[in-house]
Amino acid sequence: MRDALENIILPAWNRTEFEAQLRAKGAGYHINHPFNVKMNEGLLSRAQVCGWIANRFYYQIKIPQKDAAIIANCPDRETRRKWVQRILDHDGWDGNAGGIEAWARLGMAAGIPGDELWSLQHVAPGVRFAVDAYVNFARNAPWQEAVCSSLTEMFAPKIHKDRLANWPQHYAWIEADGLQYFRSRISLAERDVEHGLQVTLEHFVTRALQERALEILQFKLDVLWSMLDAIEKAYP
């Protein structure tokens, strides 16, 4: 009986149902991690906030490498033309310093010397391991799966809005100009989700593939959650 049940092929969700399943994964987004909850409520020390900024910087500098890996594996020209904008968003281009520099300015606004931030000396082993695992996934997985892993951006605008609303009162020692990264990422994340979601909904069309997409999204959620686990342990 068990073997028979395992061999039942479940029908695919329609696009609306599948998108709802993907968005339901937001319950596991790191916005709900205890460390982030404390950050949002103003309960972190200066050392903890600076530790988070310094460790998250490692993630920021690796994002363009992740996106470059997706492009390298993607044979579709139109997808590459859209996806390359993500690299420019972080690395910058003429007239736009990009997200990495914006995060570096956040570090300086919090009092972290630039050379100290760029040295990565504060990056916890667990953060490095989790981020590298994500980049390696993007290098080795089919490009559509790597695109799917980016869909944690569906949940990102809320976390950025929370920081913009709460940090000025809770962490007034951070210069206001340093918060520009959060401000810029709200609209960029919304734009990126539209494309990533389109690719995912068009590629993962059987129930088995859709279940795989949910596993991939959970993997990325676990990467982000594990990063905060490591930061929380490094800065108790």
Side-chain angles (χ1 to χ4, degrees), residues 28-70:
Y29 190 52
H30 65 155
I31 195 172
N32 297 314
H33 191 286
F35 190 87
N36 187 74
V37 172
K38 291 178 183 177
M39 182 188 297
N40 196 43
E41 294 176 350
L43 301 178
L44 296 187
S45 68
R46 185 167 187 154
Q48 288 174 314
V49 174
C50 287
W52 176 79
I53 292 172
N55 274 269
R56 180 81 181 191
F57 184 64
Y58 186 68
Y59 179 79
Q60 302 303 322
I61 65 174
K62 290 293 183 177
I63 288 175
Q65 295 182 39
K66 175 268 295 184
D67 289 323
I70 292 175

Side-chain angles (χ1 to χ4, degrees), residues 35 47-48 50-52 54-55 122-123 230-236:
F35 190 87
Q48 288 174 314
C50 287
W52 176 79
N55 274 269
H122 298 297
V123 177
I231 295 170
E232 185 176 48
K233 185 174 182 179
Y235 299 91

